[in-house]
């Protein structure tokens, strides 16, 4: 499992009842061309014994069993704190990698330097369907995957800068993580990668999409499209807005944020997730002191200004139309108009 000519890579996988998916993931990693690996499984009190079975089958892995469910963020933080590798991969357990995936990520790192890198992510069940060709941050705090749900025709065949690397599989160095900081414990899960990539870009550390590195992913194997998932997505979207923008930037886009929130309320009501939206708002209100403190911390560290980053944010988002409720096309169109209006205001008043 080791090769002295290759730097050590620590691969961290947070597991929660992933079952056979976890075993398949580990097998594919061990079958990779890159061999100097440290595989760390951090288990959030799974009840299906998948972590135990995995350790019995692959004795070379390092298993850390948490005493409670720490969520995605602190689960990965436990792994990072125990990692010995010069490089770090954060990966979901419902993934399968192609044999050269890690070599290609390394090649990109050598070419573009310090940053965060993600592979091309395809559906595990429909392996010609894209799940992400890089993830993007929107002005109103939405994070989305480019090209999700379309057929892979090698449309984006060059390494390019993106908004943030997907938490499904991201690669960077331990040195970079030290600069950015650990995943935000408050977030718990969902939008963790948006926050991490956003914080990185504020420090001048950018994210990249590497099309020659291929990873297959099941996607949302635990919560799927549930009320609980929508709660975390909305709560953490608002958290990111409130913590990443300066007070001046927030003031300039307050009106368009209010109008966006009306659209989000309508969308949640139409999908039957009204309670999830209410709970998200209550959580944000109850934690306003934590949010205020975090905003001051991030503002003090910024190297890249809000306006510089906002200029790179796309106006159009990709909200898939695979569920009932407020039409995705209508929602996307309105969000685009509001984004253009808000950006014009920010730029003109700068």
């Amino acid at each position: 499992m080791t090769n002295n000519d290759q730097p050590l890579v620590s691969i961290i996988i947070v597991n929660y009842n992933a079952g056979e998916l976890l075993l398949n993931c580990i097998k594919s990693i061990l079958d990779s061309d890159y061999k100097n690996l440290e595989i760390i499984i951090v288990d959030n009190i799974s009840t299906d014994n998948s972590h135990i079975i995995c350790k019995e089958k692959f004795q070379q892995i390092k298993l850390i069993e948490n005493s409670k469910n720490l969520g995605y963020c602190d689960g990965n933080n436990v792994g990072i704190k125990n990692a010995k590798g010069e490089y770090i991969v954060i990966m979901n357990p419902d993934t399968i990698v192609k044999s050269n995936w890690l070599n290609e990520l390394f090649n990109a790192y050598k070419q573009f330097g310090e940053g965060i890198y993600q592979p091309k992510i395809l559906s595990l069940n429909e392996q010609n369907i894209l799940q992400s060709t890089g993830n993007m941050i929107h002005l109103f705090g939405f994070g989305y995957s480019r090209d999700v749900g379309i057929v892979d025709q090698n449309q984006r065949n060059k390494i390019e800068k993106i908004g943030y690397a997907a938490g499904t599989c991201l690669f960077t160095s331990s040195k970079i993580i030290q600069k950015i900081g650990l995943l935000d414990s408050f977030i718990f899960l969902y939008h963790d990668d948006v926050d991490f990539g956003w914080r990185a870009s504020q420090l001048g550390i950018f994210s990249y999409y590497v099309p020659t590195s291929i990873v297959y992913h099941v996607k949302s194997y635990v919560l799927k499209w549930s009320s609980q998932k929508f709660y975390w997505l909305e709560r953490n979207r608002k958290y990111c807005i409130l913590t990443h923008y300066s007070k001046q930037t927030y003031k300039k886009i307050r009106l368009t944020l209010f109008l966006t929130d009306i659209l989000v309320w309508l969308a949640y009501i139409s999908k039957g997730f009204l309670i999830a939206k209410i709970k998200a708002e209550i959580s944000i209100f109850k934690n306003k002191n934590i949010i205020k403190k975090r905003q001051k911390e991030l503002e003090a560290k910024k190297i890249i200004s809000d306006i510089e980053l906002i200029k790179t944010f796309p106006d159009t988002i990709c909200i898939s139309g695979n569920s009932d409720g407020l039409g995705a096309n209508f929602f996307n169109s309105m969000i685009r108009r509001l984004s253009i209006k808000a950006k014009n205001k920010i730029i003109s008043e700068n």
Side-chain angles (χ1 to χ4, degrees):
M1 192 171 172
T2 60
N3 185 328
N4 292 331
D5 294 330
Q6 298 174 324
L8 179 64
V9 178
S10 297
I11 298 178
I12 300 164
I13 300 171
V14 175
N15 179 59
Y16 179 70
N17 293 329
E20 192 174 350
L21 291 169
L22 177 63
L23 302 179
N24 295 338
C25 176
I26 300 303
K27 183 180 184 303
S28 73
I29 292 171
L30 292 174
D31 288 342
S32 298
D33 297 337
Y34 199 96
K35 297 301 180 184
N36 195 14
L37 303 173
E38 174 191 45
I39 301 176
I40 303 173
I41 305 298
V42 182
D43 189 75
N44 276 332
I45 59 170
S46 294
T47 57
D48 66 352
N49 289 324
S50 53
H51 55 303
I52 303 298
I53 296 168
C54 187
K55 178 63 175 176
E56 290 173 350
K57 185 170 183 179
F58 306 109
Q59 295 183 13
Q60 63 268 59
I61 69 170
K62 181 175 183 178
L63 174 63
I64 300 174
E65 298 179 79
N66 292 330
S67 58
K68 62 179 182 179
N69 189 344
L70 297 179
Y72 182 84
C73 290
D74 270 346
N76 274 302
N77 289 340
V78 167
I80 291 168
K81 290 174 184 177
N82 284 273
K84 297 177 181 177
E86 182 182 350
Y87 295 89
I88 303 288
V89 171
I90 293 174
M91 176 173 285
N92 285 1
D94 56 337
T95 52
I96 298 290
V97 301
K98 292 197 77 169
S99 61
N100 68 338
W101 71 290
L102 197 46
N103 287 333
E104 293 299 327
L105 291 172
F106 258 113
N107 290 339
Y109 192 95
K110 291 173 184 176
Q111 183 178 350
F112 289 87
E114 292 188 343
I116 310 170
Y117 294 80
Q118 79 151 80
K120 178 191 290 185
I121 303 172
L122 294 159
S123 170
L124 184 60
N125 299 319
E126 299 175 271
Q127 296 192 0
N128 65 330
I129 301 298
L130 290 164
Q131 282 193 4
S132 175
T133 59
N135 286 16
M136 307 302 288
I137 302 171
H138 189 272
L139 177 66
F140 301 140
F142 300 103
Y144 71 92
S145 302
R146 291 191 311 185
D147 301 324
V148 60
I150 70 173
V151 175
D152 178 27
Q153 296 178 327
N154 205 28
Q155 298 96 321
R156 302 184 192 270
N157 57 11
K158 295 181 180 179
I159 300 171
E160 58 181 303
K161 190 182 291 185
I162 54 176
Y164 67 100
T168 302
C169 178
L170 66 82
F171 168 89
T172 191
S173 68
S174 57
K175 182 170 62 175
I176 288 295
I177 291 180
Q178 288 174 3
K179 290 181 181 179
I180 301 168
L182 296 171
L183 300 183
D184 192 324
S185 300
F186 179 86
I187 289 177
F188 195 74
L189 80 165
Y190 291 118
H191 252 51
D192 44 86
D193 46 6
V194 177
D195 170 78
F196 188 73
W198 200 338
R199 282 192 281 134
S201 61
Q202 289 172 340
L203 301 176
I205 300 168
F206 299 108
S207 300
Y208 299 87
Y209 161 66
V210 184
T212 51
S213 176
I214 307 293
V215 171
Y216 300 98
H217 179 223
V218 171
K219 196 174 185 178
S220 298
Y221 74 96
V222 176
L223 294 181
K224 302 187 185 297
W225 288 107
S226 65
S227 176
Q228 189 177 359
K229 179 174 180 177
F230 271 79
Y231 160 76
W232 290 115
L233 286 170
E234 178 60 5
R235 170 190 183 264
N236 294 335
R237 178 186 73 87
K238 302 204 79 170
Y239 175 76
C240 284
I241 292 170
L242 291 166
T243 55
H244 289 312
Y245 287 135
S246 69
K247 292 180 180 179
Q248 293 78 12
T249 300
Y250 189 86
K251 184 178 179 180
K252 290 177 182 178
I253 62 174
R254 187 189 298 273
L255 176 59
T256 46
L257 283 173
F258 173 74
L259 296 174
T260 297
D261 214 35
I262 292 174
L263 288 172
V264 174
W265 274 103
L266 292 172
Y268 271 57
I269 291 169
S270 67
K271 294 176 187 295
F273 294 146
L274 174 61
I275 300 301
K277 174 62 172 167
I278 293 171
K279 286 182 177 179
E281 295 290 340
I282 291 172
S283 178
I284 291 295
F285 178 76
K286 284 184 175 180
N287 290 285
K288 58 184 178 181
N289 290 333
I290 292 174
I291 292 169
K292 184 178 180 180
K293 181 181 177 182
R294 183 63 166 170
Q295 191 275 337
K296 286 183 178 179
E297 290 174 357
L298 297 185
E299 192 64 25
K301 294 178 181 178
K302 278 183 188 175
I303 295 174
I304 307 297
S305 68
D306 288 346
I307 190 168
E308 287 180 76
L309 290 181
I310 285 169
K311 287 177 180 178
T312 69
F313 292 170
D315 294 309
T316 302
I317 61 174
C318 179
I319 303 294
S320 67
N322 63 351
S323 58
D324 295 331
L326 189 69
N329 289 337
F330 172 77
F331 185 89
N332 293 348
S333 174
M334 293 301 297
I335 291 296
R336 181 177 182 276
R337 293 181 186 181
L338 290 171
S339 176
I340 293 171
K341 181 178 180 179
K343 278 187 181 179
N344 288 337
K345 181 177 178 62
I346 292 168
I347 294 169
S348 65
E349 294 182 2
N350 187 57

